[in-house]
Amino acid sequence: MRVILIHVRDPQFYAYPIEERSKRGHIQIIGFPPIGIMSLSAVLKREGHECTMFDQANPETPNDVIVDEIQRLQPDLVGLSFLSSTSYPYAKILARQIRAANAKVKIAFGGVFATLNAIRVKEQCTEIDYVCRGDGEQVILDLLDNLENPSDVKSVTWADGDGTIQNNLERPLERDLDQWPFPDRENLPLDFVETMPFDVPAVLSMDRYTTMQTSRGCPWECIFCDIPIFNGGGKWRARSPEHVVAEMEYLQENGYGGVYFVDDHFLLQPKRIETMCQALIDGGNTIKWGCEGRVDSVCMKLFPLMAKSQCRSLMFGLESGNQKTLDRLKKDQTVEQIELAVNNAKKGGIEIVHGFFVLGSPGETEEEMRQTFRFASKLRIDSFGFNRLCVYRGTPLWTEYAHRGLVDEEKDWFKYFKCSSIDPTVLSGEQIHKIRGEELQRLIAYKLLRYPLQSFRLLRRFARYMPIKDVFYLIAKPFLGKKTGATRAELLSQAVEHQDVKSAAADLTLVPDDQLEAVITGSQALDKNRMSTKDRPAMHTDAQVPHDVHGRTNVAKDMDVR
Ligand code: B12
């Protein structure tokens, strides 16, 4: 059978096309490849189906091109895959456009957000036929065999002949992940380039880059995360080290230079990591890799081995330097554990240790927030990101807010709120912004003076791929104060700090359904006008600035969406 899979995303959120094409003639994107659809495509092809993929990060395949291709290929199934609440508005619009052009084609949604809101999504988005919940590999195969009557296909939500929504039984979590083929990375006309760390979208290598998933799930119950629920109540499943190493070898043979493991918690099982790293070393692995994990991991003694096997970056979800806030978030980690893990990672030879922090947690005071910055300045982290805490349905924090009457399950389920906008125990957005600005200045100055060598090494890496004046601007930005107008450097900084893009993405989820298409189309037209080719800066900076999201944010605000 013929399937079209589309990775739906805001084309300018975490995906920046570069003007220069790759050696293979493909458009290059700084960002993450759509590994969800790539995984499904590989499974489909192995079973003899045809599969064509699209990624909305590709500027050459906007919605109308995708719809035309659907009309031309007349597939049996179109699968729309998206990760988060922030992509749901785009998925709805695309599904409506497909349905308007083709009354018959079957349309399925899948991914974390759709899974956790399956019944509501099916009710709201009447254009689609099915919501596929959880792991998609077996679901999509079973669905293709039962497109007309999916009543026996586990983990599918659909509507029967009377229009009654059927939420089919959940299939048991698949534990044998080695049974699936490696993702189909060669059939999307895009090449990806390394961006590191996520919240600082600076290019650290122009090598061919991809992602891999070596395990699924996380057993901890942090109140802001929905992954335990997505994975059958905190279950963790992993591929064998042999299977992972075989994929790395395959990637090396195919010219990849960088791989990021998108596991929810890579560091969980020491034996598995040790075997994997040793095999990578023995096999002469040259791919530089990165991963994410908790600081209380029992794998700390393995950091030197990881570094030896080419692990270059380790991203820790540190969240706060204040124990009370960590406990409120149910992070189940101590500030001492943070210090220990970061020190061990650096001593173990990990080149870039990144700290993710959140600001504006429930009950967090100004002093506690400032304490987090002071804590960050003493840590040996190389890079850091400070994001405002957000809440979305599926997380324990959302459930708490529903009980406290801060969100309405019926009206708000698809919205992505900054906690500061809805929780009276959180400092206001303006206060957070001000504190963040002041403290970042101190933090950067402290890092440069206290750890000059470490800072120099990191900046040298940036400078390998970014124009030197942009690197200086990156450092100087927090000290320059507010400027009017979007200068080139200002745009760079917006992209680097990412705050405006994130705010715009969150705001878009608040736009009423019937105004969505107008808002999205309007903002995309604004983006195009703003970034006419002649205004575009040179290659590497260009890669980071194809958006000025203020237009979009204002559109949402003008409509008084909340
Ligand atoms: C890597 C990652 C990113 C990366 C890259 C994403 C990308 N373009 O691929 C970056 C850093 C860019 C990112 C950004 C964001 N992310 Co993120 N991210 C992840 C992470 C850790 C892994 C995603 C992944 O690659 N999974 C591996 C693939 C194989 O799995 P998959 O895509 O889910 O697909 C499988 C199934 O879902 C299913 N499936 C998927 N689609 C379909 C379609 C059909 C038809 C079928 C049948 C099945 C099916 O089959 C696939 C194979 O089993 C997840 C956590 C997680 N485990 O999902 C968070 C996660 C998705 N992110 C999250 C968030 C909030 C965000 C941001 C909004 C953060 C922010 N404020 O900036 C942005 C939004 C970006 C966007 N465009 O949507 C949340 C979403 C929660 C929610 N309800 O909204 C998650 C769940 C993290 C969390 N702990 O809560 N993210």
Side-chain angles (χ1 to χ4, degrees):
M1 294 178 102
R2 184 173 285 168
V3 179
I4 291 189
L5 293 175
I6 305 153
H7 181 70
V8 179
R9 46 170 139 187
D10 174 339
Q12 288 149 0
F13 188 18
Y14 281 117
Y16 312 106
I18 308 179
E19 276 182 7
E20 240 172 52
R21 290 189 175 248
S22 71
K23 283 186 205 124
R24 303 191 306 156
H26 289 166
I27 288 190
Q28 297 191 90
I29 305 282
I30 299 184
F32 285 63
I35 193 173
I37 58 168
M38 289 170 163
S39 306
L40 298 179
S41 171
V43 172
L44 288 167
K45 286 180 178 164
R46 190 173 70 177
E47 297 306 312
H49 300 291
E50 276 177 42
C51 181
T52 305
M53 292 181 282
F54 293 95
D55 182 346
Q56 289 192 320
N58 184 349
E60 288 183 349
T61 57
N63 284 9
D64 49 345
V65 173
I66 296 176
V67 174
D68 285 351
E69 277 301 285
I70 292 171
Q71 292 301 75
R72 192 177 69 80
L73 294 170
Q74 293 293 324
D76 299 287
L77 178 70
V78 177
L80 272 59
S81 170
F82 55 102
L83 299 177
S84 71
S85 325
T86 57
S87 301
Y88 179 49
Y90 295 90
K92 278 192 278 195
I93 298 305
L94 181 56
R96 282 172 197 160
Q97 290 173 352
I98 297 169
R99 183 56 76 223
N102 189 327
K104 289 205 182 115
V105 68
K106 301 287 186 199
I107 307 177
F109 274 3
V112 177
F113 171 82
T115 298
L116 298 179
N117 299 284
I119 298 177
R120 288 182 161 87
V121 166
K122 178 68 193 84
E123 265 166 10
Q124 188 182 67
C125 203
T126 50
E127 294 80 5
I128 63 164
D129 299 283
Y130 331 95
V131 177
C132 301
R133 310 189 311 263
D135 290 0
E137 286 85 352
Q138 194 58 49
V139 180
I140 199 160
L141 294 177
D142 294 352
L143 182 62
L144 281 174
D145 290 339
N146 297 280
L147 284 175
E148 292 311 323
N149 180 8
S151 50
D152 289 333
V153 184
K154 288 203 172 119
S155 293
V156 168
T157 304
W158 57 293
D160 63 19
D162 303 335
T164 310
I165 293 187
Q166 302 293 339
N167 197 40
N168 291 0
L169 287 177
E170 201 83 3
R171 67 183 59 221
L173 267 197
E174 183 55 73
R175 293 213 160 256
D176 176 13
L177 301 180
D178 285 2
Q179 68 179 297
W180 306 124
F182 303 152
D184 173 13
R185 297 188 174 87
E186 305 304 320
N187 285 299
L188 198 66
L190 292 175
D191 281 329
F192 290 83
V193 168
E194 184 185 355
T195 153
M196 199 186 291
F198 307 151
D199 289 275
V200 184
V203 189
L204 291 190
S205 146
M206 294 301 285
D207 284 343
R208 206 172 170 206
Y209 167 76
T210 192
T211 51
M212 258 171 77
Q213 196 186 35
T214 82
S215 67
R216 293 180 178 174
C218 175
W220 275 267
E221 293 173 344
C222 307
I223 62 170
F224 49 79
C225 180
D226 54 7
I227 284 308
I229 300 147
F230 183 66
N231 285 278
K235 306 241 167 35
W236 185 83
R237 305 160 283 158
R239 294 166 55 194
S240 68
E242 295 73 25
H243 202 249
V244 174
V245 171
E247 187 170 349
M248 289 287 272
E249 284 168 0
Y250 166 83
L251 292 174
Q252 188 164 324
E253 278 159 23
N254 283 277
Y256 288 90
V259 171
Y260 191 78
F261 296 155
V262 294
D263 300 24
D264 303 303
H265 187 6
F266 175 78
L267 295 179
L268 199 66
Q269 218 179 58
K271 190 72 207 143
R272 188 180 86 104
I273 298 175
E274 189 173 2
T275 314
M276 194 191 109
C277 292
Q278 196 54 59
L280 286 175
I281 296 166
D282 296 345
N285 170 58
T286 56
I287 295 183
K288 298 176 181 99
W289 57 278
C291 64
E292 200 166 319
R294 288 176 55 91
V295 293
D296 57 357
S297 149
V298 280
C299 289
M300 272 191 267
K301 67 173 181 359
L302 294 177
F303 290 150
L305 193 71
M306 285 168 61
K308 209 172 157 203
S309 74
Q310 306 290 352
C311 174
R312 291 299 158 93
S313 61
L314 190 44
M315 315 271 172
F316 286 124
L318 306 180
E319 324 306 356
S320 175
N322 172 270
Q323 193 59 48
K324 189 194 103 194
T325 307
L326 288 172
D327 295 344
R328 177 69 174 88
L329 298 173
K330 275 197 143 188
K331 188 71 193 180
D332 208 3
Q333 78 186 15
T334 63
V335 283
E336 292 77 21
Q337 283 172 320
I338 297 181
E339 280 167 337
L340 188 68
V342 170
N343 279 337
N344 280 342
K346 286 312 296 178
K347 271 192 223 147
I350 307 286
E351 196 172 330
I352 299 180
V353 178
H354 181 80
F356 291 111
F357 293 92
V358 291
L359 301 176
S361 297
E364 187 184 41
T365 64
E366 174 170 346
E367 173 47 28
E368 285 158 0
M369 204 178 288
R370 292 191 191 275
Q371 190 185 347
T372 289
F373 282 93
R374 288 199 295 273
F375 178 70
S377 66
K378 288 192 197 101
L379 281 179
R380 285 182 67 194
I381 44 175
D382 300 279
S383 54
F384 35 78
F386 293 87
N387 289 307
R388 251 190 272 177
L389 188 66
C390 289
V391 60
Y392 41 84
R393 189 165 179 277
T395 59
L397 185 57
W398 178 278
T399 310
E400 179 197 316
Y401 280 180
H403 285 137
R404 286 167 57 194
L406 301 178
V407 293
D408 181 327
E409 277 283 64
E410 295 309 315
K411 292 194 199 129
D412 294 332
W413 60 271
F414 51 89
K415 296 176 185 167
Y416 187 91
F417 292 113
K418 290 180 206 105
C419 297
S420 54
S421 330
I422 54 172
D423 183 343
T425 74
V426 176
L427 296 179
S428 73
E430 269 164 33
Q431 283 170 298
I432 297 174
H433 192 67
K434 181 171 167 288
I435 297 168
R436 181 178 176 277
E438 290 167 6
E439 292 296 338
L440 265 180
Q441 287 185 16
R442 284 195 202 114
L443 175 57
I444 292 174
Y446 185 88
K447 284 275 174 202
L448 288 171
L449 296 173
R450 175 78 177 73
Y451 300 109
L453 200 61
Q454 194 182 359
S455 307
F456 170 74
R457 283 204 194 110
L458 187 69
L459 293 173
R460 195 180 53 185
R461 269 199 97 180
F462 279 13
R464 254 182 247 157
Y465 303 103
M466 286 168 75
I468 194 76
K469 63 181 182 326
D470 290 341
V471 177
F472 279 122
Y473 188 77
L474 232 165
I475 310 166
K477 156 76 184 145
F479 304 93
L480 295 180
K482 205 167 166 54
K483 284 216 197 93
T484 51
T487 61
R488 177 175 145 171
E490 197 70 43
L491 283 170
L492 169 72
S493 130
Q494 277 172 16
V496 168
E497 289 180 356
H498 239 63
Q499 294 305 317
D500 291 338
V501 192
K502 285 185 173 159
S503 289
D507 284 353
L508 190 69
T509 68
L510 312 182
V511 173
D513 218 28
D514 55 348
Q515 293 163 23
L516 211 48
E517 188 154 10
V519 172
I520 290 179
T521 321
S523 74
Q524 282 169 350
L526 272 171
D527 287 338
K528 267 192 202 142
N529 287 342
R530 286 220 164 78
M531 292 308 292
S532 69
T533 325
K534 106 178 158 5
D535 297 331
R536 287 189 168 198
M539 217 278 282
H540 303 296
T541 34
D542 178 36
Q544 297 161 56
V545 291
H547 50 259
D548 169 6
V549 291
H550 289 130
R552 179 183 316 151
T553 321
N554 290 338
V555 180
K557 279 191 187 130
D558 291 347
M559 294 186 137
D560 195 17
V561 289
R562 289 217 51 237

